[in-house]
Amino acid sequence: MKIVRLTLFILHIGIAFLLLGMLLNAYVPPKLFPWFNLLSLGFPVLIITYVLLTIFWIISWKKRAILFAVLGLAFINPVTRWINYNAENNEKSDLKIVSFNTKNGLVLGKKKIKEYIVSQNADIVLLQEDIGEGYDFDGLKETSIDALTATFSKYKIIDHKALIKSDFETNNAYANQTDIEIKGKIYRIINVYLQPFKFEKNMVKLNGNNEENEQKVKGVVRRLIPTFKKHQEQVGVIQEALKNSPYPVILAGDLNSVPNSYEYYHLSKGLKDAFVVVGRGSATSFHDYKFPLRIDYVFSSESIKPVSYKVDRSVRLSDHYPVVATFQLEK
């Protein structure tokens, strides 16, 4: 039994170091050291194992349980970015936003997506990975469309420009900004779709062949690392747009990055994560793999108060669930 406990103790320490390493994503960019960003992908498994081992030490009446429990407090905020239990907010909202990676309507078609969007009666709709053409949403008269990011608004669009254009197609924008006049005040809406990893299920699904699995893991890492570095460049462009904005900002979209990643820390800096503030339950938004992945977000400036946040699991129109958020605007 002593050997088992020693093994579990070493494992627990190792997991603690990995989790602490993940927190360094707030400071260490992928181009300098990408492996911290890789750890963010495994956060659900790491934290669950950490908690189970802590419970084991408590049941075993070991003093080390106190150490691991106290250290575990450092991971409370990282956990709330995945799972949260805020009280229900019944305040009145001024603005409703739907952010949705529609996968170009390839799952159930654009007609079903249009029906869903219209049923939401949102003020602003942000689509990613969708050309947006062919949509005619009732009540959403103002549009600004790039090939990868499309913004629809009930309110008047004052200005629009692409922030990050594709290296291959000039009409593709991985991020755009749209200035919208709402009730006499201008707000900047940034619609983001960071560089995708372009994985297929068969590329990440392991089987009983160890040699084949090893090659798959190496292949995944070979795709992850360069994309992390590309994200760093894209995040820098968006950060500059945030810093120079003369208006309150709402940033939303598909970051192709999980919470506690470099992308999350640096894009959310100075902004409020609507899920952390008012969300309830799980924030997992990508459902194509049997693994919890939150990669869709809605952030807002301090002056814009989140009222509600929902990952709408009632529909499966894409490999992403739509994200619906409401806000109170400053008076």
Side-chain angles (χ1 to χ4, degrees), residues 9 13 20 38 42 50 52 99 110 112 115 118 121-122 138 155 168 173 179 197 228 230 269 271 295 314:
F9 181 59
I13 291 175
L20 290 171
L38 199 62
Y50 185 92
L52 290 175
S99 179
K110 292 193 172 186
K112 290 286 186 182
E115 290 173 356
V118 170
N121 191 31
D138 297 341
Y155 296 99
F168 305 104
D179 296 338
F197 294 99
F228 287 155
K230 185 67 175 180
K269 190 173 183 180
L271 302 176
I295 57 177
S314 67

Coordinates of all heavy atoms in Angstrom, one line a residue, residues 9 13 20 38 42 50 52 99 110 112 115 118 121-122 138 155 168 173 179 197 228 230 269 271 295 314:
F9 N 1.2 9.9 -4.8 CA 1.8 11.2 -4.4 C 2.6 11.8 -5.5 O 2.5 13.1 -5.7 CB 2.6 11.0 -3.1 CG 3.2 12.2 -2.5 CD1 2.4 13.3 -2.1 CD2 4.5 12.3 -2.4 CE1 2.9 14.4 -1.6 CE2 5.1 13.5 -1.9 CZ 4.3 14.5 -1.5
I13 N 1.8 15.4 -7.5 CA 2.7 16.5 -7.6 C 2.9 16.8 -9.1 O 3.0 18.0 -9.4 CB 4.1 16.1 -6.9 CG1 3.9 16.0 -5.4 CG2 5.1 17.1 -7.3 CD1 5.1 15.6 -4.6
L20 N 0.0 24.3 -12.9 CA 0.7 25.5 -12.6 C 1.3 26.0 -13.9 O 1.3 27.2 -14.2 CB 1.7 25.4 -11.5 CG 1.1 25.2 -10.1 CD1 2.2 24.9 -9.1 CD2 0.4 26.5 -9.6
L38 N -0.4 23.8 -24.9 CA -0.8 22.5 -25.1 C -1.5 21.9 -23.8 O -2.5 21.2 -23.9 CB 0.4 21.6 -25.5 CG 0.1 20.2 -26.2 CD1 -0.6 20.5 -27.5 CD2 1.4 19.5 -26.4
G42 N -5.7 19.9 -22.0 CA -5.9 18.7 -21.2 C -6.4 19.1 -19.8 O -6.5 18.3 -18.9
Y50 N -6.7 15.7 -10.3 CA -6.2 16.4 -9.2 C -7.2 16.4 -8.0 O -6.9 16.1 -6.9 CB -5.9 17.9 -9.6 CG -5.2 18.7 -8.4 CD1 -3.8 18.7 -8.3 CD2 -6.0 19.3 -7.5 CE1 -3.2 19.4 -7.3 CE2 -5.4 20.0 -6.5 CZ -4.0 20.1 -6.4 OH -3.4 20.8 -5.4
L52 N -9.8 14.3 -7.5 CA -10.0 12.9 -7.0 C -8.8 12.5 -6.1 O -9.1 11.8 -5.1 CB -10.1 11.9 -8.2 CG -11.4 12.1 -9.1 CD1 -11.3 11.1 -10.3 CD2 -12.6 11.8 -8.2
S99 N -23.9 34.3 -31.1 CA -22.7 34.0 -31.8 C -22.7 32.5 -32.2 O -22.9 31.7 -31.3 CB -21.5 34.4 -30.9 OG -20.3 34.0 -31.6
K110 N -28.6 25.9 -44.7 CA -28.8 27.3 -44.3 C -30.2 27.6 -43.9 O -30.5 28.6 -43.1 CB -28.3 28.2 -45.4 CG -26.8 28.2 -45.5 CD -26.3 29.3 -46.4 CE -24.7 29.3 -46.4 NZ -24.2 30.5 -47.1
K112 N -32.4 25.8 -42.1 CA -32.6 25.5 -40.7 C -31.9 26.6 -39.9 O -32.4 27.0 -38.8 CB -32.1 24.2 -40.4 CG -32.9 23.0 -41.0 CD -34.2 22.8 -40.2 CE -34.9 21.6 -40.7 NZ -36.2 21.5 -40.0
E115 N -33.9 29.7 -39.8 CA -35.1 29.6 -39.0 C -34.7 29.7 -37.5 O -35.5 30.4 -36.7 CB -35.8 28.2 -39.2 CG -36.4 28.1 -40.5 CD -36.9 26.6 -40.8 OE1 -36.6 25.8 -40.0 OE2 -37.5 26.4 -41.8
V118 N -33.8 33.5 -36.8 CA -35.0 34.4 -36.7 C -35.8 34.1 -35.4 O -36.3 35.1 -34.8 CB -35.9 34.1 -38.0 CG1 -37.3 34.7 -37.8 CG2 -35.2 34.6 -39.2
N121 N -34.7 36.3 -32.3 CA -35.0 37.7 -32.3 C -33.9 38.5 -31.6 O -34.1 39.3 -30.7 CB -36.3 38.0 -31.5 CG -36.8 39.4 -31.7 OD1 -36.6 40.0 -32.7 ND2 -37.5 39.9 -30.6
A122 N -32.7 38.2 -32.1 CA -31.5 38.9 -31.5 C -31.3 40.3 -32.1 O -31.7 40.5 -33.2 CB -30.3 38.0 -31.7
D138 N -35.1 38.1 -40.9 CA -36.2 39.1 -40.6 C -35.7 40.0 -39.5 O -35.3 39.5 -38.4 CB -37.5 38.4 -40.2 CG -38.0 37.5 -41.3 OD1 -37.6 37.7 -42.5 OD2 -38.8 36.6 -41.0
Y155 N -29.5 47.3 -35.7 CA -29.2 48.7 -35.6 C -28.2 49.2 -36.7 O -27.6 48.3 -37.5 CB -28.5 49.0 -34.3 CG -29.4 48.7 -33.1 CD1 -29.3 47.5 -32.4 CD2 -30.4 49.7 -32.7 CE1 -30.2 47.3 -31.3 CE2 -31.2 49.4 -31.6 CZ -31.1 48.2 -30.9 OH -31.9 48.0 -29.9
F168 N -4.6 33.4 -48.1 CA -4.8 32.8 -49.3 C -5.9 33.4 -50.1 O -5.9 33.5 -51.3 CB -5.1 31.3 -49.1 CG -4.1 30.6 -48.4 CD1 -4.3 30.2 -47.0 CD2 -2.9 30.3 -49.0 CE1 -3.3 29.6 -46.3 CE2 -1.9 29.6 -48.2 CZ -2.1 29.3 -46.9
A173 N -11.8 36.9 -43.9 CA -11.4 37.6 -42.7 C -11.5 36.8 -41.5 O -12.6 36.4 -41.1 CB -12.1 39.0 -42.6
D179 N -18.6 48.9 -36.2 CA -19.1 49.9 -35.3 C -20.6 50.1 -35.5 O -21.1 50.4 -36.6 CB -18.4 51.2 -35.5 CG -16.9 51.1 -35.2 OD1 -16.6 50.2 -34.4 OD2 -16.1 51.9 -35.7
F197 N -7.6 24.4 -36.6 CA -6.6 23.4 -36.6 C -6.8 22.4 -37.8 O -5.9 21.6 -38.2 CB -6.6 22.6 -35.3 CG -6.2 23.5 -34.1 CD1 -7.1 24.1 -33.3 CD2 -4.8 23.7 -33.9 CE1 -6.7 24.9 -32.2 CE2 -4.4 24.5 -32.8 CZ -5.4 25.1 -32.0
F228 N -0.9 27.4 -32.9 CA -0.7 28.2 -31.7 C 0.1 29.5 -32.0 O -0.2 30.6 -31.6 CB 0.0 27.4 -30.6 CG -0.8 26.4 -29.9 CD1 -0.2 25.3 -29.3 CD2 -2.2 26.4 -29.9 CE1 -0.9 24.3 -28.6 CE2 -2.9 25.4 -29.2 CZ -2.3 24.4 -28.6
K230 N 0.5 30.9 -34.9 CA -0.3 31.7 -35.8 C -1.3 32.5 -35.0 O -1.6 33.7 -35.2 CB -1.0 30.9 -36.9 CG -1.8 31.7 -37.9 CD -0.9 32.5 -38.8 CE -1.6 33.2 -39.9 NZ -0.8 34.0 -40.7
K269 N -8.2 40.1 -21.7 CA -7.6 41.1 -20.8 C -8.3 42.4 -20.9 O -8.5 43.0 -22.0 CB -6.1 41.2 -21.3 CG -5.3 42.1 -20.3 CD -3.8 42.1 -20.7 CE -3.0 42.8 -19.6 NZ -1.6 42.8 -20.0
L271 N -11.4 42.8 -20.4 CA -12.8 42.5 -20.8 C -13.4 41.5 -19.8 O -12.7 40.8 -19.0 CB -12.9 41.9 -22.2 CG -12.4 42.8 -23.3 CD1 -12.5 42.0 -24.6 CD2 -13.1 44.1 -23.4
I295 N -14.8 26.6 -27.0 CA -14.0 27.4 -27.8 C -14.7 28.6 -28.4 O -14.2 29.4 -29.1 CB -13.4 26.6 -29.0 CG1 -14.5 25.9 -29.8 CG2 -12.4 25.5 -28.5 CD1 -14.0 25.2 -31.1
S314 N -30.2 23.0 -27.4 CA -31.4 22.5 -28.0 C -31.4 22.2 -29.5 O -32.3 21.6 -30.0 CB -32.6 23.5 -27.7 OG -32.4 24.7 -28.4

